[in-house]
Amino acid sequence: MSQKHFKSSIVRFLLFLALVWLILILNCKTQKMPARWSKKPIEVDGQQADWDNTSIGYFEDMGVQLGLCNDTERLYVIFRFSDPRWAQAILMGGVTLWLDNSGKKNKDFGIRYSGGPSLSVLQNLGKGGFWDKLTSEQKERLMDKQTSMADQVTVVYKEKDQGIALPADGSSGPAVAFADTQNIYTYEFSIPLKKSSVFSHALGVAPGQTIGIGLEWGGMDKEERQRMMKGMGGGRGVPPGGGGGGRGGGRGNRPGGGFRPQTPEKQEVWVKTKLALPPQEQG
C-alpha cells in the first residue's frame, strides 16, 4: 500500500469515527427546558386553564406539548397530544413520568398512570380491531379497570417494578388527572418536592436544583401485555368465540380467536430542567 493511499485510508477512518461520535452525542443529548415559577398551586384537573403559555413547550418532532412549573412545595407537569393511538396505548399500558434528581435519565423513581378517554371514545378507536375482538366479559372488566385506574396512580421505584398504588387525588403525595378537550388528550401531574410525615413519596429536591424528567408510553412488552390480559380475564388471549376467527385470525391474532393487542412503538420524551426559585431569590 502506498503512503498516499495509507494516509487517505486514515483520513476516511477518522472521519467515520467523528461521524459516529456526532451521532452518539446527538442521540444522547437531552433537551433543556426551564421550569417556571407558579405563584399559586395548580389545580390538577387535566385542564390548561392554570398554565401560563410561556410554561408550555412544543416538541414538533414528537407532536407533543410539555409544560413544567413549580412552587416551594410541588413540581407540576402537563403533557398534551392529539394522537388517539397514544391515548389508547396509555389506557392499556399506562404513561410513566420518570423523575431523576441527578439530572440524568435514570428510571429509579416514576409515577405511572393508566387513565384515559371514555369507553365511548375507546369503542370508536377500536372498531374493527382491539375492542371488537373482546368478549362481553372482557369489555366489562376493561370498563371496571378504566374506572379504578383513573382514580389511582402507581409509584414506581425501579423500571419494570409493579409499584405502589395510591389515590390519584394527591392526598398521599403524587396527583394525576386526565382530560379530553376537542380531541386534545391532556395528562397533568403534581409531585411533592420533599418527603414529609404526610408524603413519603417525593422527589427529594428543592427549588433551584436540576432534575431529569422523562415521559414514556406505548410499546408494551410481553409481560405487560400478559398482565393486562390477565386483568381483563383473558388469560393468554381471547377465548373461542371472542372474535377474530378466520384462518389464523389475521394480523395480530392467534389461531382459535386469541390475539395480541397492538400498541404503538414505545415513545419517550426527556428534558433536563432547573426548578425555578422564588421571585425574591431570583437574580
Side-chain angles (χ1 to χ4, degrees), residues 21-40:
W21 176 82
L22 180 61
I23 291 173
L24 290 174
I25 290 295
L26 291 175
N27 286 341
C28 293
K29 185 177 181 180
T30 301
Q31 192 159 342
K32 293 183 179 180
M33 183 177 181
R36 304 290 182 179
W37 181 259
S38 180
K39 297 179 180 179
K40 60 180 181 180

Side-chain angles (χ1 to χ4, degrees), residues 39-50:
K39 297 179 180 179
K40 60 180 181 180
I42 288 180
E43 183 179 356
V44 181
D45 54 6
Q47 302 295 332
Q48 194 180 342
D50 293 342

Side-chain angles (χ1 to χ4, degrees), residues 163-207:
I164 304 166
L166 298 173
D169 60 6
S171 58
S172 297
V176 187
F178 166 83
D180 174 7
T181 306
Q182 297 180 340
N183 297 322
I184 300 295
Y185 306 98
T186 303
Y187 295 80
E188 197 172 15
F189 299 80
S190 168
I191 307 95
L193 296 185
K194 297 180 180 179
K195 294 182 179 181
S196 67
S197 58
V198 179
F199 302 139
S200 58
H201 307 289
L203 272 166
V205 297

